[in-house]
Amino acid sequence: MGVVEKIKEIEEEMARTQKNKATEYHLGLLKAKLARYRAQLLEPTTKSSGAGTGFDVQKSGDARVALIGFPSVGKSTLLSKCTHTQSETAAYEFTTLTAIPGVIDHQGARIQLLDLPGIVEGASQGRGRGRQVVSTAKTADLILIMLDATKPEEQRRLLEIELDAVGIRLNKKKPDVVFKRKTTGGITLTATVKLTKTDEKTIRSILASYKLHNCDVMIREDITTDEFIDVLIGTRKYMPCLYVYNKIDAISMEQLDKLARDDHSVVISCEMGLNLDYLIERMWDELGLVRIYTKKRGAHPDLHDPVCLRKGATIEDVCNGIHRSLAANLRYALVWGKSSKFNPHAQKVGLGHLVQDEDVVSIFTK
């Protein structure tokens, strides 16, 4: 029996099993098995032969945004409108057959927008080159799920299922669980909160199914069985996501208002160019980029070419963003801006200092 058949068999058994306190343990074991088979399917041990059109696109710019959606929802049109990159567009499905990159220049940052081929139901199991599409999406910093506002809400649920199956968790935080392997000593399981969505017996059985007999586990939040399996697998990607509803010119004002009020939703019309500026602003907010302006001694700061980093960046990241050798030779840095204790005056700082958006930094080397 192949891996796909095994996955189907487990999914059918899970669908048949009633969810209650008595079946929690059994369902936990089935979920662990399912996660293991899906991992095998997505990362096969043997390399497949035969060349094809490559999906690998070199990461460029300060951040990468992946455009995902079913065929013919307007992804290529959005890429053309936002980046001036011509991606083939037509009224029929599957116009785009490979990944096409474009660049959005916004507030001094370069954001790479990647138009991925339309995915179909069953993409996580390899249908319609879906495996390559969703694995490329894992390299992004933000996912845009493009939806047709004229079609039922089921399309969003199906896309979420496909991405969830390949280990992409949308708009979720990593579970607060510390997991360490050991060579001896058995399993030490500690929970600092009451577990209401799973129990110790289920967790120990999942560890045994992964042949983990010596490890330390500390659970610091009320997690589910699925979240614990995610921690064990360790390859899950927790990514911000925006749901972009296109073709709003073809729906009623009531429908438009309802979609616009949903969390993480943006409503646009690519053909009419409606709300595209707001979409780019929302992308900027979700990416959480920090612009750092550099200043040479005795000169004005360079406000045209910032070093763009992610939130939580330090002076060390600024040094690495300018040149890899700078951090090793740093004597100190002067910082003006929100992160300076003496704002508007400069603060003398070291490598570990956290920078904030639009800080001005002057580097002094040994």
Side-chain angles (χ1 to χ4, degrees), residues 74-331:
K75 298 189 301 297
S76 300
T77 310
L78 180 67
L79 182 83
S80 305
K81 288 275 174 88
C82 290
T83 67
H84 311 296
T85 301
Q86 288 309 305
S87 180
E88 194 180 342
T89 58
Y92 55 85
E93 297 187 341
F94 298 106
T95 321
T96 305
L97 299 172
T98 187
I100 298 166
V103 174
I104 300 170
D105 287 304
H106 186 66
Q107 296 196 28
R110 288 167 59 79
I111 300 166
Q112 186 184 48
L113 186 61
L114 208 55
D115 177 18
L116 296 172
I119 66 174
V120 293
E121 202 177 338
S124 56
Q125 295 175 13
R127 283 192 66 206
R129 303 196 77 187
R131 206 181 298 168
Q132 294 102 311
V133 173
V134 285
S135 63
T136 304
K138 273 188 169 183
T139 66
D141 302 299
L142 168 69
I143 286 181
L144 291 190
I145 289 188
M146 196 128 178
L147 303 160
D148 188 333
T150 63
K151 290 185 177 172
E153 197 66 355
E154 179 74 359
Q155 55 178 333
R156 172 169 163 171
R157 195 183 66 83
L158 290 171
L159 283 167
E160 286 172 340
I161 289 168
E162 294 302 332
L163 293 173
D164 198 68
V166 295
I168 294 176
R169 304 289 180 256
L170 302 175
N171 297 324
K172 286 181 184 174
K173 283 185 178 175
K174 197 173 179 181
D176 194 359
V177 177
V178 179
F179 169 72
K180 286 181 185 170
R181 293 171 190 263
K182 300 187 296 189
T183 49
T184 56
I187 295 169
T188 307
L189 181 60
T190 314
T192 59
V193 294
K194 191 181 178 186
L195 300 177
T196 60
K197 299 166 190 170
T198 186
D199 55 41
E200 190 175 325
K201 184 187 174 190
T202 306
I203 287 169
R204 286 183 181 274
S205 66
I206 290 166
L207 287 168
S209 74
Y210 278 91
K211 297 183 173 61
L212 293 164
H213 306 294
N214 298 289
C215 59
D216 287 334
V217 180
M218 181 179 273
I219 301 168
R220 297 190 288 208
E221 70 171 292
D222 189 12
I223 57 164
T224 62
T225 306
D226 292 309
E227 286 171 335
F228 182 68
I229 293 165
D230 285 352
V231 171
L232 286 190
I233 291 170
T235 56
R236 300 307 191 220
K237 252 332 248 301
Y238 297 84
M239 304 180 74
C241 170
L242 283 176
Y243 299 93
V244 182
Y245 289 90
N246 187 26
K247 307 180 186 177
I248 56 165
D249 49 300
I251 60 172
S252 68
M253 285 302 291
E254 288 79 10
Q255 283 176 288
L256 173 61
D257 187 56
K258 185 176 178 292
L259 291 175
R261 288 176 188 275
D262 280 352
D263 285 342
H264 310 289
S265 290
V266 182
V267 290
I268 64 163
S269 170
C270 286
E271 285 300 325
M272 297 182 74
L274 297 173
N275 230 18
L276 298 183
D277 290 342
Y278 175 66
L279 171 61
I280 292 170
E281 283 296 333
R282 283 291 299 271
M283 284 162 57
W284 175 263
D285 292 341
E286 290 290 337
L287 287 167
L289 290 173
V290 173
R291 292 157 296 168
I292 306 300
Y293 301 108
T294 54
K295 178 185 179 304
K296 288 180 182 174
R297 191 185 300 187
H300 289 293
D302 179 5
L303 301 177
H304 301 292
D305 188 19
V307 177
C308 288
L309 304 163
R310 308 307 297 274
K311 264 182 189 160
T314 61
I315 289 292
E316 187 174 2
D317 297 314
V318 176
C319 291
N320 292 332
I322 299 166
H323 196 277
R324 276 176 292 183
S325 66
L326 265 183
N329 297 309
L330 180 86
R331 192 149 48 99

